[in-house]
Structures are given as C-alpha cells and as structure tokens.
Amino acid sequence: MRKDCEILLSEIRKLPTDRLTPACGGSYPSFGHVRPLFVGYSRDDESSGRFFLDNSTRREFPGPPVCYFQYALDGWGGFRHGAREHRIEAGQGFLFRIPSDTAHWLPDGARWERLYVAFRGETALSIAEEILEHHGPVFNLRPDSEGVQLLAQMYREAVAEEKPTVFRAAGLLYRFLMALCETALLREPDYPAPILRVTRFIDNRYGDPDLRLEDLARQAGLSKYHFARLFRHTTGHTPAAWLRERRMKAAQELLAFTHLPPKQIALFA
C-alpha cells in the first residue's frame, strides 16, 4: 500500500496547488440533492504551522449542514469524534459533518498531506449519515480503491483550466459516496488478518458474558499487549469498546424487531 500511496502522491503533487477550490463551474441553486462545494489538497507541517479545527464551532459555510471527507496521503494527524481520538495515517480517511462534535488537528512535529471534499445536499447528507451510523467515521482505504481514485479525480478536474459542470462534479461525488457505502456496508473491513479473525469471533460470541481480552488475543495469536495496541490502531476502538458496541447493536436490533422484554434482551446482549 505504501508504494500505491507514493504513486498517487507523485501525481497529485504535479497538479496546481489549491488548498480549497470550488468543485465545479457555474451555479445551479435548484440542483441541491448532491452538491459538491469544494475539493482541496494540503501539505501541512511545522513550517506551515500547527492547527486545531473544532468542527462544532466552524462557520465557513452558512446555511444547511456540510459534510467533509478527508484522506491522508502521507504523514499523520489527529481526529476526534465524541470522546474518541484517532491517529489518522496514510491510507486512512475520515468523514464528518459540520457542525458536529468532532475535531481534527496537526500535532507537534507531525506532517500531513491530505485530499478532501466538502459537500451538502439532501441526498448526499442522507447517504453520509447512513455511512456514519453503520460504519463510523474512520476508514482504511487503499490508494487504488475506487473511492480514493474518485476523490483524486474530483481534485484533478477541479484544478483543471476548464472546471467541470455542476452535473459532472455531482456525478463524481455521488459515485464516490456509493463507493464509501460499498466499503462501509457490504465489504469486510481491510483489516490485518489477526484483527479480522477477532472481529468475526466477536460477531459470533458477543453474547458470552465470560469473554475476556485474553480470549480475543488468543484468537489473534498475539500477546495481550500487542493485540490491544494493534486492535486500537487498526479500528480506532479498544477491544472492550468494540465488544460493548457489538452487544449494544444486538440489543437495539432485538428491541426493534422482537417483543422480548428489556430484561430478557439484556441476557442476550
């Protein structure tokens, strides 16, 4: 994956640099279902200065809510949603809404190269909310994946001398969101084999009240310390939090689709 990132980086660096450029030419206010606003590329390090963006208070875009997706091409930075913090490295992306209880930043001594797109529109926001609900905000995406290639294509066309029409840009954005949906809702995550074994194991055994970290580490074939560190780095969650959320999801499904009393559901989940 590192080599693929370097190939994509080399191509993006040859394009005209524009940190935040309109995604399309022309203005069609009535075309509001899928509306790309801006795409951008940034290369941040100590020379450009640290930053911390609190997405609960940003006001660049008046009017309806806006969604962002950012993808790390190189280096790393921080991302928080709610109380959870993530280290976002090359090959990872994150989706968030403005306003929302999220933030992202460049820590001391870090450098971060990113591609990103901002969008709004009733259909686009609805798709983004569905992705966030079922998958969460953080993605592991190969640079040669369809979603990343479409994001790069949006940037190429936005910085070209002749910008795409809003319909062309909206079509690329919709395809990009569908690619994220496929990753989030249909495909298994692109996790290392030991972590994937554990997530499958949890899906089958989440109802076991005696399930412990030692059992999960044994499934991964790793020491407890190494497993816990790798699991959090890969998924953005601790093993205990992942198990707890899987049990909560099961409880919600039982509440929604059965007539079991809550006390009995608590025994299953």
Side-chain angles (χ1 to χ4, degrees):
M1 187 171 73
R2 178 65 189 175
K3 185 177 180 180
D4 292 331
C5 268
E6 289 174 354
I7 292 172
L8 182 58
L9 257 177
S10 176
E11 180 184 354
I12 294 297
R13 285 171 177 169
K14 293 175 183 176
L15 298 174
T17 301
D18 196 340
R19 292 178 67 93
L20 198 64
T21 189
C24 53
S27 176
Y28 300 86
S30 63
F31 189 76
H33 297 294
V34 179
R35 183 179 294 182
L37 300 174
F38 294 92
V39 291
Y41 159 77
S42 67
R43 186 176 184 176
D44 301 295
D45 54 29
E46 290 182 335
S47 64
S48 58
R50 291 181 61 204
F51 65 84
F52 183 95
L53 296 174
D54 182 346
N55 300 312
S56 65
T57 59
R58 294 173 66 180
R59 296 290 183 267
E60 302 102 306
F61 302 106
V66 170
C67 269
Y68 264 83
F69 182 87
Q70 299 199 30
Y71 182 76
L73 297 163
D74 197 18
W76 69 280
F79 172 67
R80 176 188 62 77
H81 64 103
R84 293 178 182 153
E85 292 189 0
H86 304 265
R87 176 182 169 119
I88 304 296
E89 301 180 337
Q92 293 184 300
F94 56 100
L95 177 69
F96 61 95
R97 182 171 172 162
I98 297 177
S100 65
D101 183 18
T102 61
H104 57 286
W105 63 91
L106 183 73
D108 279 332
R111 58 182 176 82
W112 209 9
E113 284 188 74
R114 302 166 291 144
L115 275 174
Y116 42 93
V117 60
F119 58 91
R120 63 165 41 129
E122 182 180 345
T123 300
L125 291 176
S126 176
I127 294 169
E129 290 294 342
E130 184 85 0
I131 292 170
L132 288 170
E133 180 181 352
H134 287 87
H135 180 273
V138 178
F139 290 78
N140 294 294
L141 296 172
R142 295 183 58 87
D144 59 354
S145 67
E146 183 182 9
V148 174
Q149 290 299 311
L150 285 165
L151 179 60
Q153 183 65 23
M154 282 189 274
Y155 183 68
R156 289 188 204 101
E157 297 193 11
V159 298
E161 186 173 341
E162 183 176 345
K163 291 186 183 297
T165 66
V166 68
F167 304 105
R168 165 71 180 172
L172 287 173
L173 174 62
Y174 185 79
R175 288 173 58 197
F176 167 75
L177 290 172
M178 290 297 99
L180 279 191
C181 277
E182 187 173 12
T183 298
L185 306 178
L186 297 181
R187 295 177 180 170
E188 281 192 310
D190 187 19
Y191 292 161
I195 302 304
L196 198 55
R197 282 200 303 273
V198 171
T199 58
R200 290 169 178 167
F201 180 74
I202 289 174
D203 280 342
N204 292 324
R205 295 281 301 277
Y206 63 84
D208 182 352
D210 297 323
L211 203 56
R212 298 289 183 266
L213 179 63
E214 292 85 350
D215 303 313
L216 302 181
R218 192 177 305 114
Q219 289 296 318
L222 302 170
S223 69
K224 285 195 300 181
Y225 174 76
H226 187 193
F227 164 68
R229 184 176 60 178
L230 179 62
F231 193 95
R232 180 157 191 167
H233 173 75
T234 300
T235 68
H237 303 266
T238 65
W242 186 281
L243 176 60
R244 184 168 58 251
E245 289 199 5
R246 182 63 185 88
R247 287 170 172 166
M248 288 296 295
K249 181 180 178 182
Q252 290 168 355
E253 290 172 350
L254 289 171
L255 283 169
F257 299 113
T258 73
H259 298 290
L260 294 173
K263 286 185 178 180
Q264 191 171 353
I265 287 175
L267 296 177
F268 284 99

